Amino acid sequence: MYMLKGEKGVERFTEMVMEIIKSIPSGKVMSYGQIARVAGKPRGARQVVRILHAMSKKHKLPWHRVINSRGEIGIQDEELFFTQKSLLEGEGVQFKGKSTIDMEKYRYHPDCDEYL
DNA sequence: GTCATGACAACGG
DNA sequence: CCCGTTGCCATGA
């Protein structure tokens, strides 16, 4: 159970998102929308983005294992793009194109019950 | 309070 | 498959 910090759903959502991201094993990836759904907010993909970005500065989160739903790195900044790609390749993820990977092969399927 | 922004998603053409 | 539009919602100005 991850019911920390009072009754504010936002707080719990944040905690869950962080736990989920930390639970992604090396060599696997998840999409923002997928994380949002598992955390209980089907429409919260953009908040996942925000949380991830904000938290990765303070905590050590495997942010590079989070990509967009198309199975590609949708990042604009070249430096960050290269960083993420390198980290993934370093974990054994094969790229099919400049920024595309095989989602069906690398997607991580967490058990939702772990986060209730 | 409004308004713009964002490591996005889903859908239509 | 590529492109544009629309929806979403926390955060900061």
Side-chain angles (χ1 to χ4, degrees), chain A residues 35-84:
Chain A
I35 292 173
R37 283 193 298 277
V38 174
K41 264 193 186 326
R43 310 301 162 106
R46 314 206 62 163
Q47 279 57 256
V48 174
V49 171
R50 205 165 285 289
I51 292 165
L52 182 56
H53 196 145
M55 295 302 139
S56 60
K57 296 172 181 172
K58 305 177 179 64
H59 307 263
K60 308 278 191 212
L61 296 181
W63 60 273
H64 55 277
R65 296 181 191 145
V66 184
I67 62 183
N68 67 19
S69 63
R70 300 169 196 169
E72 54 188 10
I73 300 177
I75 195 173
Q76 304 303 306
D77 186 82
E78 287 186 35
E79 206 171 304
L80 268 178
F81 175 92
F82 181 72
T83 302
Q84 178 166 19

Side-chain angles (χ1 to χ4, degrees), chain A residues 77-113:
Chain A
D77 186 82
E78 287 186 35
E79 206 171 304
L80 268 178
F81 175 92
F82 181 72
T83 302
Q84 178 166 19
K85 184 175 179 180
S86 300
L87 287 168
L88 287 175
E89 287 179 324
E91 295 181 347
V93 176
Q94 314 277 66
F95 278 72
K96 297 202 293 191
K98 186 180 190 300
S99 57
T100 337
I101 72 172
D102 191 332
M103 270 304 264
E104 298 310 301
K105 181 174 181 180
Y106 298 112
R107 188 189 309 269
Y108 174 50
H109 304 273
D111 188 347
C112 296
D113 295 335

